Amino acid sequence: MLFNRFFSKNTPLMVAAVATLTLMSCSSGPKKHTQEQTKTPAVVEQPQEVIEDAAYFIELSQQSLDTNPDQASQFLVNAANLYLAQEEHSNALWLAKNLLAKPELLTDERQYQLLLIKGQSLTVLDEDADIQALLTQANELVTSAQLPHDIKFYQLQALVAEKQNQTILQLDAQLRVFALNGQSSNDDIVRLWEKFSQLTQWQQQQLELKKAPMVTQWLSFTQIANQYGHNDDVMTRKLDTWQRQHSTHPANLIAEQFKEQIALTHINNQLQESQSKQVIAVILPLSGKQAMAGQVAQQGLLAAYQNKNESVLHFIDANTLEFETLEEQLTTLEASAVIGPLLKSHVEQFLAQNITLPSLLLNLPSANQLNENQIAISMRPEDEAIQAASQLANQNYQKPLILSHNDSVSQRIAQAFATHWFKSTAQPIESMTYSQGKEMQTQLKKSLSVEGSELRNKDLRIRLDQVIKTESRNRRDIDMIYIVGNNAQTRLIKPYIDVNTSTFASIIPVYASSRSHSLTHDDSALVDLNGMTFTEMPWLINSEQQNTPLSKEAKALWPNRSDSLQRIFAMGYDALSLIEKFNAFKAKPYVRHYGQTGVLKLNDENILTRSLLWGQYTRRDVKQLAFAQ
């Protein structure tokens, strides 16, 4: 076995340890796992010349066996700790495992220490070991005995979270390690900042809920970098204010580094400053079948351009453009950047030209890869499913259900939600597909087990041969439903959920993607969707991040504009600021854009992904929620 590999050189020590354990179990009755037992001194003071290694403590355990079995137990725990410190992981694992096999000889605190020793040893000796099970057991001991967590617990938790790609859990554990480590270095601070700089907006919200030491100050610092990192003057002022308020926080090290970089950049910019205006080429479909989409994106760009005089926009119709001549046209225009194309087919033609100018694509490529001079904005519905799954998994729902329409887009969203739910919880999620029409109610009743309840009621009436008042009951284990479908489909299925929920049961929270929301709702829609919570971009929900004056103006100009065109307008509006932040996105991974399409972050694949808001239908209106509830 794994823990017997050391026997050839340590047999006498292990024989002594086994003998001690055996005699202890024979001479000692069960002990209560209370903190009072830890009052026995863990280490007996010895003359300086004595080497306090594992062998020394095993010998002490034998000497203490007759007079103080409890102390003998502590000496063996000390020996296991020293084996670990000496990187003799096989010995540490063997001793910890054998001590844990006799829990009646151990206090809760010693069991806890041994579980951590076992976990640390296994991380070195067996990478497939189930460390999470040991952490769960250790946490239960700490909770029941009201003990403080050891730094080793959070170190192990961080390792497990990293293996499972659980970013939030890993960073939370690392913050707790930092707080307990009295010898943290500047490198530790830099590594923490690297983690914070990668967080999306919704990940920051999740991390804050875990309440790790100093996390609030870290997050306020992160938000300054996210929001103002592209603007050196504002960034400097915000950092000065933050430093005055949090003068002892470790992130002051990062703040000073930022200010040094800003000062150096300022000097370089003065040497290279140019007064000429930049020309931005914008490639959109301004004719043909998709002209409406292109024109709406153009309107969004022009709305953002109104108060900007430092650049010139030059629009190119993608449907009349010969892409093979594009590079020559851009050279003639003396263009410094490109926005577009909008349609996938045009994106592929653009990428085939290997344009080297900084370019913001308004759609994702299907085949070609983005190069370092190109970024693309993602409006994929799967992205918001990942956000929703991660945030809702953090709400401790035990038995969620996905109800998805059987169209291809809904199925992609449902699959993304299910995959990320499993990643976040290690638990599979039940899913049910519905069709629009008569089959929908039947499918929903079957999913909620209402159909079975109705059959039992019918059978009861037949057996009693009389009219009785009954009420069908839905299954009680479903505690959350995530709907995937468009607004019309959701308006049909949400009332069915309400009707088929028993009056005796708790209300089942219902969540949805932005596809379920529409600006064209009327009073009946508010009734149909009452209580439903959904993810949405700021432009389409009354919120602090929404450009409210522009929203009112747009509604007055285009009162009948569809939801899909509203989203394209918002993307066009954001596009100008995004191309202006191109260099900042590439050089500073912490920079974000707080736009009308969401809070945008550049990932490792050169794709701008979004963090969305949460909204909820009430009987009177649609309101923003601070977080999914």
Side-chain angles (χ1 to χ4, degrees):
M1 294 178 69
L2 183 65
F3 47 83
N4 285 327
R5 281 190 265 174
F6 58 90
F7 262 174
S8 59
K9 64 176 182 178
N10 283 309
T11 300
L13 290 178
M14 294 306 108
V15 169
V18 170
T20 304
L21 281 166
T22 303
L23 291 171
M24 284 169 60
S25 61
C26 293
S27 62
S28 304
K31 297 179 181 292
K32 292 182 180 179
H33 297 168
T34 61
Q35 287 180 270
E36 281 73 20
Q37 294 175 6
T38 64
K39 293 179 180 177
T40 305
V43 180
V44 175
E45 292 187 5
Q46 297 293 330
Q48 260 188 330
E49 63 270 22
V50 175
I51 300 174
E52 295 185 351
D53 58 7
Y56 166 72
F57 280 105
I58 289 175
E59 183 180 347
L60 281 184
S61 70
Q62 286 188 295
Q63 295 172 3
S64 304
L65 181 59
D66 293 331
T67 57
N68 195 336
D70 184 63
Q71 189 176 61
S73 167
Q74 179 63 61
F75 285 143
L76 289 178
V77 173
N78 290 350
N81 256 317
L82 281 167
Y83 275 135
L84 188 67
Q86 295 161 10
E87 297 186 358
E88 297 183 39
H89 297 101
S90 294
N91 295 359
L93 177 60
W94 185 91
L95 193 49
K97 183 169 182 177
N98 279 275
L99 283 165
L100 286 167
K102 301 180 183 296
E104 70 275 4
L105 305 177
L106 303 168
T107 64
D108 284 332
E109 186 175 8
R110 289 172 197 163
Q111 283 192 67
Y112 174 72
Q113 292 173 2
L114 289 165
L115 285 169
L116 298 184
I117 292 169
K118 183 178 178 182
Q120 288 179 295
S121 301
L122 284 171
T123 57
V124 176
L125 299 169
D126 184 3
E127 64 179 25
D128 296 324
D130 186 7
I131 309 299
Q132 184 57 55
L134 292 174
L135 289 173
T136 300
Q137 191 178 348
N139 192 56
E140 289 171 353
L141 274 172
V142 162
T143 303
S144 63
Q146 297 183 329
L147 297 169
H149 267 306
D150 188 278
I151 189 173
K152 295 174 186 174
F153 176 88
Y154 296 116
Q155 289 169 334
L156 275 175
Q157 194 174 61
L159 283 174
V160 171
E162 183 178 20
K163 284 184 179 180
Q164 298 175 346
N165 200 24
Q166 296 278 3
T167 303
I168 304 305
L169 185 60
Q170 181 188 1
L171 184 49
D172 177 72
Q174 289 173 330
L175 284 170
R176 297 177 192 277
V177 169
F178 186 91
L180 291 171
N181 184 4
Q183 298 179 334
S184 295
S185 66
N186 287 349
D187 288 342
D188 295 325
I189 297 171
V190 171
R191 281 192 288 269
L192 278 177
W193 167 240
E194 288 173 352
K195 292 289 185 183
F196 273 97
S197 69
Q198 294 296 326
L199 296 179
T200 64
Q201 192 74 5
W202 57 267
Q203 285 176 325
Q204 291 179 35
Q205 293 171 351
Q206 281 187 272
L207 182 63
E208 187 171 22
L209 292 174
K210 293 186 174 295
K211 302 185 184 302
M214 299 183 289
V215 70
T216 302
Q217 295 83 5
W218 267 113
L219 288 173
S220 65
F221 179 83
T222 303
Q223 287 160 9
I224 290 171
N226 290 168
Q227 196 162 1
Y228 306 109
H230 67 288
N231 187 322
D232 288 348
D233 292 338
V234 178
M235 178 77 159
T236 301
R237 293 198 301 272
K238 295 290 183 180
L239 287 176
D240 287 340
T241 301
W242 186 91
Q243 287 184 285
R244 285 194 297 271
Q245 295 170 344
H246 311 292
S247 59
T248 60
H249 193 275
N252 276 279
L253 172 72
I254 310 300
E256 289 301 321
Q257 291 178 354
F258 280 162
K259 289 159 79 171
E260 289 175 9
Q261 292 168 1
I262 289 170
L264 182 61
T265 301
H266 184 68
I267 294 171
N268 292 336
N269 287 345
Q270 285 181 323
L271 296 174
Q272 301 172 5
E273 191 171 348
S274 172
Q275 297 300 318
S276 61
K277 289 187 176 182
Q278 292 187 330
V279 176
I280 301 174
V282 184
I283 306 172
L284 297 171
L286 299 175
S287 62
K289 292 182 179 180
Q290 299 297 329
M292 180 62 74
Q295 290 164 11
V296 169
Q298 183 183 45
Q299 291 162 4
L301 274 157
L302 291 173
Y305 181 72
Q306 287 180 2
N307 298 317
K308 295 178 182 290
N309 298 313
E310 62 272 18
S311 57
V312 174
L313 299 181
H314 184 90
F315 291 95
I316 301 173
D317 185 355
N319 281 324
T320 61
L321 170 66
E322 293 183 9
F323 278 87
E324 293 77 7
T325 68
L326 178 59
E327 186 172 11
E328 183 181 344
Q329 288 190 46
L330 294 175
T331 301
T332 302
L333 288 170
E334 297 184 350
S336 56
V338 178
I339 295 176
L342 176 64
L343 305 182
K344 274 188 177 291
S345 59
H346 294 154
V347 166
E348 297 300 338
Q349 293 179 71
F350 175 83
L351 292 178
Q353 307 311 310
N354 295 316
I355 303 298
T356 57
L357 293 176
S359 305
L360 169 67
L361 309 182
L362 302 181
N363 211 326
L364 297 179
S366 300
N368 291 296
Q369 297 295 314
L370 301 176
N371 64 36
E372 284 304 304
N373 297 312
Q374 298 158 346
I375 61 178
I377 182 171
S378 172
M379 301 282 278
R380 292 178 300 192
E382 293 94 326
D383 293 341
E384 63 178 293
I386 291 172
Q387 173 182 343
S390 182
Q391 289 188 280
L392 293 175
N394 209 42
Q395 301 294 307
N396 297 316
Y397 290 119
Q398 301 300 312
K399 192 67 176 176
L401 171 69
I402 303 175
L403 295 178
S404 58
H405 191 260
N406 60 4
D407 64 273
S408 59
V409 175
S410 294
Q411 291 305 297
R412 290 202 331 259
I413 297 171
Q415 184 58 51
F417 188 96
T419 299
H420 204 77
W421 183 273
F422 184 80
K423 178 182 172 182
S424 299
T425 66
Q427 298 296 324
I429 186 170
E430 186 177 346
S431 182
M432 195 273 289
T433 301
Y434 65 87
S435 303
Q436 195 164 334
K438 293 181 179 179
E439 295 179 4
M440 181 168 56
Q441 188 173 14
T442 302
Q443 291 165 329
L444 179 60
K445 285 183 176 181
K446 184 177 181 181
S447 178
L448 296 177
S449 297
V450 175
E451 193 177 55
S453 177
E454 289 177 342
L455 289 174
R456 289 190 295 272
N457 290 339
K458 182 178 180 181
D459 181 64
L460 181 62
R461 286 194 295 270
I462 293 171
R463 288 174 182 273
L464 296 177
D465 193 24
Q466 58 180 297
V467 177
I468 59 173
K469 186 177 181 180
T470 62
E471 180 173 337
S472 300
R473 295 170 180 255
N474 60 288
R475 56 192 288 191
R476 301 300 180 87
D477 58 335
I478 296 296
D479 59 0
M480 184 271 282
I481 294 175
Y482 187 72
I483 297 178
V484 185
N486 62 32
N487 181 255
Q489 293 157 358
T490 306
R491 285 190 62 178
L492 288 173
I493 199 167
K494 172 62 167 61
Y496 280 146
I497 295 173
D498 297 337
V499 168
N500 288 287
T501 301
S502 169
T503 54
F504 301 102
S506 300
I507 295 174
I508 302 175
V510 176
Y511 298 90
S513 73
S514 61
R515 297 181 74 230
S516 294
H517 173 235
S518 174
L519 285 184
T520 59
H521 59 73
D522 52 22
D523 289 344
S524 63
L526 295 176
V527 174
D528 292 340
L529 301 176
N530 180 45
M532 186 184 77
T533 305
F534 57 95
T535 43
E536 187 56 280
M537 65 168 62
W539 178 248
L540 295 182
I541 186 169
N542 186 17
S543 61
E544 292 181 3
Q545 198 174 319
Q546 184 190 58
N547 186 330
T548 306
L550 181 62
S551 176
K552 291 179 179 178
E553 184 179 350
K555 286 176 183 176
L557 290 171
W558 305 289
N560 299 318
R561 177 165 284 173
S562 68
D563 296 314
S564 59
L565 290 178
Q566 292 275 9
R567 299 179 197 283
I568 291 175
F569 180 89
M571 180 171 62
Y573 183 85
D574 282 352
L576 190 57
S577 293
L578 292 173
I579 196 66
E580 290 171 350
K581 291 181 179 179
F582 186 96
N583 292 332
F585 278 130
K586 303 293 289 186
K588 304 171 182 178
Y590 49 83
V591 168
R592 306 287 183 267
H593 176 64
Y594 290 72
Q596 296 306 294
T597 56
V599 179
L600 289 93
K601 169 189 180 296
L602 188 67
N603 69 15
D604 294 336
E605 298 174 337
N606 287 330
I607 295 173
L608 289 161
T609 60
R610 301 178 299 151
S611 292
L612 300 179
L613 304 178
W614 287 93
Q616 186 177 70
Y617 278 92
T618 70
R619 290 188 177 274
R620 294 187 300 275
D621 56 13
V622 176
K623 63 179 183 179
Q624 181 193 0
L625 293 183
F627 185 69
Q629 297 175 354

